[in-house]
Amino acid sequence: MALVPYVENSLPVLSKLHNSSAQFRFANHDLRLAQDWKKLGVAAVVWDAAVVMCMYLEMGKVELKGKGVIELGAGTGLVGIVAALLGAKVTITDREPALDFLSANVKANVPPDSQGSVVVSELTWGEGLERYPAGGFDVVLGADIVYLEDTFVPLLQTLEHLCSDSTVVLLACKIRYKRDTNFLSMLKQRFMVEEIYYEKQRDIHVYKSWKLPPRKDL
């Protein structure tokens, strides 16, 4: 399900999404991510939120080395790949149709001696969560995963399952519509939420969240 339709000669601001690859340098590595808008739509292009999330991870304000990290809605896998290059043990997830594409990007960009620190796995939010350890991750990452209102409830269910009281959730978002702020309001019912970074040029916000303690009925 694409955010915008595919058009060969679309607006210049979207033209980079139609390139067959996108190149970056993060964590002292040159990365080349394959893109395939025609085949997989939003799941197969690098969005600005992923780039900004990687910029934030490089700042070192969140400890990643040796930590258990899971990325949701990974798409091309850029964020999870950078987390692995920064020393995390990463589970990179997306829906089944994107997995072969995602796996190829991981194989092409993670050095052979680090391949063992990355697992690519299918995860449709709200489904089959028992396959993932409850509260089993130190950090949960999501870049530009808040845009379809129908996914908000299963996404929250997934976050609640994956997070322990000490898990840190990092979400990089472009606030496009009122529904995006609605999701943040829903998240605040179960998680503490604070904005920790804003990249003005790309208009991307990074939010840090962690679970609220259980409510005690009076």
Side-chain angles (χ1 to χ4, degrees), residues 13 108 115 117 142:
V13 70
Q115 292 275 340
S117 65

Side-chain angles (χ1 to χ4, degrees), residues 27-116:
N28 296 318
H29 287 75
D30 291 315
L31 306 177
R32 187 183 185 92
L33 283 295
Q35 300 190 128
D36 193 345
W37 177 279
K38 283 186 176 180
K39 184 177 180 181
L40 293 170
V42 298
V45 295
V46 178
W47 294 94
D48 283 346
V51 177
V52 173
M53 177 72 86
C54 292
M55 292 166 56
Y56 183 78
L57 295 180
E58 273 201 319
M59 294 177 188
K61 295 183 179 181
V62 175
E63 180 60 48
L64 293 176
K65 194 170 183 62
K67 300 295 185 180
V69 173
I70 186 167
E71 183 188 2
L72 305 181
T76 63
L78 176 63
V79 171
I81 289 167
V82 170
L85 295 174
L86 291 171
K89 299 175 182 177
V90 188
T91 301
I92 304 180
T93 71
D94 210 319
R95 297 172 67 183
E96 195 279 331
L99 293 190
D100 287 345
F101 176 81
L102 178 53
S103 297
N105 269 337
V106 170
K107 186 175 182 180
N109 289 283
V110 177
D113 59 353
S114 299
Q115 292 275 340

Side-chain angles (χ1 to χ4, degrees), residues 18 24 28 48 59 106 165 180 201 215:
H18 304 322
F24 306 94
N28 296 318
D48 283 346
M59 294 177 188
V106 170
D165 293 343
D180 302 335
Q201 181 179 350
R215 291 178 61 179

Side-chain angles (χ1 to χ4, degrees), residues 9-192:
N9 296 307
S10 62
L11 297 172
V13 70
L14 300 178
S15 62
K16 63 183 179 180
L17 304 179
H18 304 322
N19 293 336
S20 61
S21 66
Q23 298 181 54
F24 306 94
R25 183 167 180 83
F26 286 116
N28 296 318
H29 287 75
D30 291 315
L31 306 177
R32 187 183 185 92
L33 283 295
Q35 300 190 128
D36 193 345
W37 177 279
K38 283 186 176 180
K39 184 177 180 181
L40 293 170
V42 298
V45 295
V46 178
W47 294 94
D48 283 346
V51 177
V52 173
M53 177 72 86
C54 292
M55 292 166 56
Y56 183 78
L57 295 180
E58 273 201 319
M59 294 177 188
K61 295 183 179 181
V62 175
E63 180 60 48
L64 293 176
K65 194 170 183 62
K67 300 295 185 180
V69 173
I70 186 167
E71 183 188 2
L72 305 181
T76 63
L78 176 63
V79 171
I81 289 167
V82 170
L85 295 174
L86 291 171
K89 299 175 182 177
V90 188
T91 301
I92 304 180
T93 71
D94 210 319
R95 297 172 67 183
E96 195 279 331
L99 293 190
D100 287 345
F101 176 81
L102 178 53
S103 297
N105 269 337
V106 170
K107 186 175 182 180
N109 289 283
V110 177
D113 59 353
S114 299
Q115 292 275 340
S117 65
V118 183
V119 174
V120 174
S121 183
E122 189 276 333
L123 176 55
T124 298
W125 302 334
E127 300 178 15
L129 296 178
E130 67 279 357
R131 295 184 292 112
Y132 294 87
F137 296 91
D138 300 304
V139 181
V140 179
L141 301 173
D144 220 350
I145 61 174
V146 178
Y147 57 90
L148 291 177
E149 202 162 11
D150 289 348
T151 68
F152 289 177
V153 170
L155 175 54
L156 288 169
Q157 292 172 343
T158 301
L159 289 173
E160 287 194 290
H161 176 81
L162 297 173
C163 294
S164 69
D165 293 343
S166 60
T167 302
V168 172
V169 180
L170 296 178
L171 299 175
C173 308
K174 181 184 283 287
I175 304 299
R176 300 178 177 89
Y177 309 107
K178 185 176 186 297
R179 63 175 178 262
D180 302 335
T181 57
N182 289 345
F183 174 80
L184 294 174
S185 296
M186 294 168 65
L187 184 63
K188 288 175 181 177
Q189 294 176 22
R190 305 304 293 269
F191 288 77
M192 289 291 295

